[in-house]
Amino acid sequence: MSRDPVDATNPLLSPWPGDLGLPPYAAIEAGHFEPAFDRALAEHSAEIEAIATQAGAPSFENTAAALDRSGRLLARIEPVFSGLCNSFTSPELQAIDRKMAPRLAAHHAAIRRDPRLYARLDALLQKVETLGLDAEQRRLLERLHLDARLAGAQLAPAARERLGEIVERQAALMTQFAQNVLAEEQNCLWLEDEADLAGLPESARASARAAAAERGRPDDWAITLSRSAVVTFLTFSERGDLRQQAFRRWKGRGANPGPQDNRPLAAELLRLRGELARLHGHATYADFALSDRMAGTPARALELLYAVWEPAKRRAAEELAALEAVACDEGGPATIEPWDWRFYSEQVRRRRYALDDAGIKPYFALENMLAALFDCAQRLFGVRFVERGDAPRYAAELRVYEVLRGDGSRVGTFVFDNFARSNKRSGAWMSALRWQSRNGGEVLPVIFNNSNFARSAAGEAVLLSLDDVRTLFHEFGHGLHGLLSDVTFDRLSGTKVLRDFVELPSQLFEHWALEPEVLARHARHCATGEPMPQSLIERVLLARRFNQGFETVGYAASALVDLLLHGREDSAAVDIAAFERETLAQLGMPPAIAPYHHLPHFQHLFAGNYAAGYYVYLWAEVLDADGYRAFVEAGNPFDPAVAQRLLRHVYSRGGSLDPAEAYRAFRGRDATVQPLLEKRGLAAAEAQPA
Ligand SMILES: [Zn+2]
């Protein structure tokens, strides 16, 4: 294929220098993306055309394996683009994103629902027993066949065409939804008077000062609407009036009349999803979505949520009584409002466990916790992380590592982008710049972990809360799932597993964050280097179940609203705010607790792939709570035999095995729900310490 002159100067299309698989970020400009996408889309389409129209009868190699190999140039460019859009965006990139998102979605969907490819895959699947495939090859064929069916390849032409329009429109709406939330998060709570900071620890004051300076007001303080900033403010601010303001802005994101109002976007998405499900012959979108999940049906997912809902509410009522008692003692409000809960629960935690965040944080310096992650990965899975200061990066504060096995061979590349920036999405997530595979040449993975930790003042250690530490371990678990992948096919690589299985490696890894052995080694005081005192470790461990009624109610409320909303059979337009209000009232939502996410800013559902799927965290928690017991039963959190089974059947297996089978191969049996209830302190017989 001849290359036009733009190629020579477009770093996205030229070979990337260096051995780490990272693009030359410094040379990439926003204007490079569209021409690069044009070429990559054309190349991919040509490859697909060749597979679809070839004269040879369908074989695994010329159809399934060839599809898996296709589109490598696009797969090289797309994650660079989405990575920058998420973590280092600009008005130029946002404009390109609004234009490209529907185009890219349409491109991929058109391939999945191509009836010519489907006919070839279907012919192969009909005689799969005669093809002599190994287990992973068979899994790829079944997966591609199902991808095609879920995209509507088997439907009549008119229905297929309509599905294409829906997919494209959904992508445009979801991009706009995310951009609106990001814009609304710039709407900080401004504090201009020292008295407004009452109760805030020094680190929170420094972060608020830095956030204000970044926004051009160096003499004020800004509480941004990112989760970690708001939650810190709600936990420590002694000013109930300001807590209320911060809370209202945070929970009101996306529901303000005007150009960033997400309510009409969500309503349109829901209408489109209902139509899409009906085209597939399902009554509701939830039925359609759950057909490709481990849970199988919405009823099974709801059953799990209801199994925790009442016990969680009972525990939350006990927690509330303790908060009211403290508030009464301290001359606080007679009724605990949602913006009061974290503040008074911090008081209870201090009294009950003699623990406060400010006393814990010095033991959780980010640098020490990174060392803890690497140490756990090495002890469990035998991999080493070696920092590479010479690697290209889009922001100087990124940390890049090459990951090596014990024998020195390369596993892949790993990147930490740990800090909040105004041009970065909130939250924490893992992404892959490149997936591991070996279908037509060895491809090593390039994995990113993103967080939004607040920076420290110059020269001081970045200190994490317990919640931050858990998040760090969680995302690193996803990172390892991508990094340790050892499969043949790209479609089955790393975290490309069923949505209610994907949180198992991440949530399981959280358990090591609070292993006494890990704390003793890595939780060292940032100033003195002293290990965390044994009594403090014990109190931290005791406090693990603290406030789990509140946490479980907040999470499960969002998960229930999601499943019930996407489970509506009524195709009429829905007022999402009214639906949420009425559903929560029917569920008996405690008035002192707000759901984790309100619908107008619920990006999992309306800007991500978790529609009818927010329950997956709890589903996976059944597995992680049960799975971690294997180490407890072995009497060693790094037991080599258990770790080896975990690597072999879970962390390295990607989607090359049915998830229920993978779990059984690791654990020797199916998971039970009891360890989850015990982990959260919700089991019937358990009493909370007074
Ligand atoms: Zn996760």
Side-chain angles (χ1 to χ4, degrees):
M1 197 178 286
S2 75
R3 304 228 147 183
D4 54 56
V6 73
D7 289 11
T9 57
N10 191 330
L12 293 164
L13 296 168
S14 320
W16 295 344
D19 60 332
L20 293 167
L22 293 166
Y25 283 109
I28 297 174
E29 293 161 19
H32 288 132
F33 281 104
E34 268 196 86
F37 274 129
D38 286 342
R39 173 166 302 278
L41 287 165
E43 265 190 37
H44 193 199
S45 296
E47 289 166 4
I48 293 299
E49 219 35 48
I51 297 168
T53 59
Q54 64 193 313
S59 70
F60 177 81
E61 179 50 37
N62 75 18
T63 301
L67 279 171
D68 189 68
R69 276 193 300 271
S70 71
R72 287 292 160 91
L73 181 62
L74 185 56
R76 183 163 97 133
I77 297 165
E78 235 183 314
V80 176
F81 180 66
S82 60
L84 289 174
C85 286
N86 282 325
S87 301
F88 208 74
T89 195
S90 65
E92 295 77 30
L93 284 173
Q94 289 188 324
I96 299 168
D97 195 15
R98 284 191 297 272
K99 191 166 163 192
M100 284 311 302
R103 236 184 112 191
L104 290 165
H107 172 82
H108 291 297
I111 293 170
R112 279 196 297 272
R113 68 166 181 273
D114 187 322
R116 301 165 305 168
L117 298 174
Y118 178 69
R120 296 181 73 89
L121 291 166
D122 196 49
L124 288 169
L125 197 64
Q126 298 301 326
K127 53 176 183 178
V128 64
E129 303 297 343
T130 68
L131 297 175
L133 303 182
D134 68 25
E136 191 185 337
Q137 290 171 327
R138 179 169 180 152
R139 184 94 184 145
L140 177 69
L141 177 58
E142 289 169 350
R143 183 68 256 180
L144 293 176
H145 188 266
L146 185 57
D147 287 346
R149 288 189 68 85
L150 293 173
Q154 77 287 13
L155 299 178
R160 265 205 321 268
E161 195 175 316
R162 178 61 190 143
L163 274 181
E165 290 165 10
I166 291 174
V167 166
E168 212 170 317
R169 179 69 186 146
Q170 275 205 88
L173 289 166
M174 286 164 75
T175 302
Q176 189 62 54
F177 191 99
Q179 292 187 0
N180 287 348
V181 175
L182 184 63
E184 295 250 293
E185 285 178 356
Q186 305 311 312
N187 178 20
C188 311
L189 176 67
W190 285 97
L191 307 177
E192 296 173 350
D193 185 342
E194 191 95 37
D196 295 344
L197 307 177
L200 296 189
E202 205 40 59
S203 60
R205 290 169 186 237
S207 299
R209 190 65 135 188
E214 196 188 345
R215 287 160 180 78
R217 289 172 61 173
D219 298 330
D220 297 328
W221 295 268
I223 307 304
T224 71
L225 298 189
S226 76
R227 184 177 182 84
S228 72
V230 175
V231 167
T232 301
F233 189 77
L234 293 174
T235 305
F236 296 108
S237 172
E238 291 169 5
R239 291 280 301 273
D241 58 332
L242 295 176
R243 288 201 307 269
Q244 180 175 2
Q245 284 183 37
F247 185 86
R248 289 233 160 111
R249 280 173 198 237
W250 184 44
K251 290 291 175 184
R253 286 168 300 152
N256 298 308
Q260 280 138 17
D261 190 347
N262 269 339
R263 289 170 293 186
L265 306 189
E268 186 178 349
L269 278 165
L270 289 162
R271 193 171 53 69
L272 292 171
R273 287 172 183 166
E275 186 185 347
L276 180 146
R278 286 188 298 278
L279 284 170
H280 278 286
H282 289 283
T284 73
Y285 186 78
D287 290 298
F288 169 69
L290 275 283
S291 69
D292 190 28
R293 304 260 177 80
M294 205 173 161
T297 63
R300 280 195 73 200
L302 283 169
E303 187 190 340
L304 172 62
L305 289 169
Y306 288 132
V308 303
W309 181 244
E310 292 302 328
K313 280 202 299 180
R314 277 198 295 278
R315 179 52 38 85
E318 293 164 21
E319 290 165 4
L320 178 62
L323 304 194
E324 284 168 346
V326 169
C328 174
D329 258 20
E330 297 188 353
T335 308
I336 299 289
E337 300 287 353
W339 49 88
D340 298 321
W341 188 293
R342 288 180 175 83
F343 179 76
Y344 287 102
S345 114
E346 179 66 10
Q347 314 296 316
V348 172
R349 191 161 73 122
R350 281 186 205 177
R351 290 182 181 199
R352 193 175 285 171
Y353 303 101
L355 278 184
D356 65 85
D357 246 32
I360 296 172
K361 276 183 145 183
Y363 291 98
F364 292 118
L366 174 62
E367 206 56 34
N368 291 343
M369 290 303 103
L370 297 184
L373 295 176
F374 298 152
D375 187 32
C376 289
Q378 179 155 19
R379 295 176 75 183
L380 288 165
F381 305 127
V383 291
R384 284 186 296 133
F385 288 72
V386 180
E387 187 155 13
R388 288 281 299 265
D390 60 330
R393 58 200 81 198
Y394 50 78
E397 59 196 357
L398 266 59
R399 310 273 294 264
V400 182
Y401 303 82
E402 61 175 315
V403 186
L404 303 168
R405 292 183 193 83
D407 63 6
S409 60
R410 173 85 61 88
V411 176
T413 301
F414 188 82
V415 183
F416 270 123
D417 181 353
N418 282 325
F419 296 106
R421 286 185 295 270
S422 57
N423 60 358
K424 185 177 181 181
R425 211 184 100 184
S426 62
W429 66 96
M430 166 272 197
S431 62
L433 197 71
R434 201 166 72 185
W435 297 100
Q436 179 274 336
S437 70
R438 47 175 174 270
N439 176 20
E442 183 85 38
V443 179
L444 299 183
V446 180
I447 304 295
F448 278 62
N449 266 187
N450 272 278
S451 302
N452 267 284
F453 300 133
R455 277 182 209 78
S456 57
E460 284 178 24
V462 173
L463 302 180
L464 305 183
S465 67
L466 270 176
D467 207 34
D468 291 336
V469 172
R470 253 182 246 117
T471 303
L472 191 69
F473 273 73
H474 178 100
E475 296 308 330
F476 196 68
H478 283 309
L480 288 172
H481 197 196
L483 207 52
L484 298 173
S485 176
D486 184 15
V487 301
T488 303
F489 301 112
D490 181 279
R491 178 63 186 88
L492 305 175
S493 182
T495 61
K496 297 187 187 188
V497 296
L498 298 195
R499 194 152 299 287
D500 41 11
F501 191 69
V502 76
E503 298 299 333
L504 169 60
S506 53
Q507 294 181 176
L508 186 60
F509 208 73
E510 289 179 40
H511 288 261
W512 279 278
L514 293 184
E515 259 305 322
E517 206 179 318
V518 176
L519 290 173
R521 190 186 287 202
H522 297 285
R524 291 177 173 268
H525 196 279
C526 61
T528 66
E530 290 292 315
M532 196 181 232
Q534 194 55 38
S535 68
L536 184 53
I537 292 184
E538 278 162 20
R539 280 176 286 139
V540 165
L541 295 179
L542 265 179
R544 266 187 299 193
R545 290 174 187 166
F546 178 67
N547 215 29
Q548 283 298 302
F550 169 82
E551 297 292 346
T552 308
V553 166
Y555 162 79
S558 284
L560 283 163
V561 167
D562 165 35
L563 268 179
L564 297 170
L565 180 66
H566 286 99
R568 290 165 63 252
E569 293 201 23
D570 182 359
S571 58
V574 59
D575 175 343
I576 57 165
F579 179 88
E580 182 175 321
R581 220 172 26 245
E582 286 156 19
T583 304
L584 292 175
Q586 278 162 16
L587 289 167
M589 180 75 178
I593 303 179
Y596 267 16
H597 309 275
H598 288 298
L599 291 170
H601 52 249
F602 204 162
Q603 300 200 67
H604 291 80
L605 312 194
F606 299 118
N609 295 316
Y610 283 75
Y614 195 59
Y615 77 89
V616 303
Y617 298 95
L618 196 71
W619 186 270
E621 196 174 328
V622 172
L623 304 177
D624 81 64
D626 185 81
Y628 197 71
R629 291 269 170 113
F631 288 94
V632 175
E633 288 159 14
N636 173 4
F638 297 97
D639 184 82
V642 180
Q644 188 54 38
R645 284 205 307 276
L646 183 61
L647 174 64
R648 176 144 175 247
H649 301 297
V650 178
Y651 280 87
S652 73
R653 255 340 247 284
S656 68
L657 190 63
D658 171 76
E661 266 178 61
Y663 189 82
R664 231 172 276 133
F666 156 58
R667 193 69 169 101
R669 57 167 177 74
D670 288 328
T672 63
V673 73
Q674 190 61 21
L676 159 78
L677 296 175
E678 288 168 19
K679 175 186 167 191
R680 289 194 170 230
L682 304 177
E686 280 175 273
Q688 193 84 337

